[in-house]
Amino acid sequence: MDEVINVSEQTARRWLKERGVKIEDIAELVMYLQASYHENLEMKDCIENVERVISKREVQNAILTGIQLDVLAEKKMLEEPLQKIVEIDESLYGVDEILALSIVNVYGSIGFTNYGYIDKQKPGILKTLNDKSTGKVHTFLDDIVGAIAAAASSRLAHRAKSKK
């Protein structure tokens, strides 16, 4: 079983990188969400929390599932009408957000507000992932990245609160 977990985590990390998302990109989102709440917040703290979130099996499963669906849509390998829905990131299609919420849910309710906020603001890497002119499909990935940042922010907030 450990071998499967290791392969899942390695693959999730590799696929994120292959799709243009670095751990530091996600950590910058954590900094964006948490800097005003933590006086001495450093990027290394943000990176550490992102790393811990990605080490969770549920998160790896969401990454693998979402990226695979995006890639299949890019290759036009989904059946209609799902192909078009995913390809254009149809506004009433909420399955991408539901998958992302499975990540956010790992660290409690504070993650939901962080996720909602960052999903609307689309700072940093989220703006890049939402650029439809690239020809890439990131219907799931943008929400997954935002959710990882929101979960890492929640983890950071919970740990800071427990130190007080």
Side-chain angles (χ1 to χ4, degrees), residues 82-128:
L82 186 59
Q83 173 63 42
K84 193 64 161 175
I85 291 168
V86 175
E87 189 175 356
I88 66 168
D89 197 0
E90 159 57 95
S91 62
L92 293 178
Y93 181 73
V95 178
D96 48 339
E97 280 89 6
I98 298 300
L99 184 62
L101 290 176
S102 72
I103 294 171
V104 173
N105 197 39
V106 173
Y107 288 98
S109 61
I110 191 171
F112 286 95
T113 54
N114 281 327
Y115 174 72
Y117 178 73
I118 207 162
D119 189 47
K120 288 293 178 212
Q121 297 295 315
K122 306 246 188 274
I125 188 70
L126 296 180
K127 183 177 182 181
T128 304

Side-chain angles (χ1 to χ4, degrees), residues 30 34 49 104 107-112 114 148-160:
V30 176
Q34 292 297 303
N49 282 284
V104 173
Y107 288 98
S109 61
I110 191 171
F112 286 95
N114 281 327
I148 293 169
S153 295
S154 299
R155 185 178 189 281
L156 193 113
H158 285 295
R159 296 182 74 73

Side-chain angles (χ1 to χ4, degrees), residues 10-74:
Q10 288 174 355
T11 304
R13 289 174 181 277
R14 187 179 81 245
W15 285 5
L16 282 170
K17 193 174 187 180
E18 288 172 358
R19 300 297 287 179
V21 178
K22 298 181 298 226
I23 299 301
E24 294 79 10
D25 295 329
I26 304 172
E28 286 175 11
L29 298 175
V30 176
M31 182 66 83
Y32 176 85
L33 287 168
Q34 292 297 303
S36 62
Y37 301 106
H38 302 279
E39 190 176 310
N40 299 316
L41 184 61
E42 295 180 22
M43 186 57 73
K44 68 178 177 66
D45 300 317
C46 298
I47 290 170
E48 177 189 335
N49 282 284
V50 169
E51 294 282 4
R52 294 300 295 262
V53 169
I54 293 174
S55 72
K56 295 274 192 192
R57 183 66 186 266
E58 304 97 306
V59 175
Q60 296 159 19
N61 289 340
I63 292 168
L64 295 174
T65 302
I67 289 176
Q68 185 68 79
L69 287 168
D70 284 346
V71 168
L72 289 172
E74 266 178 29

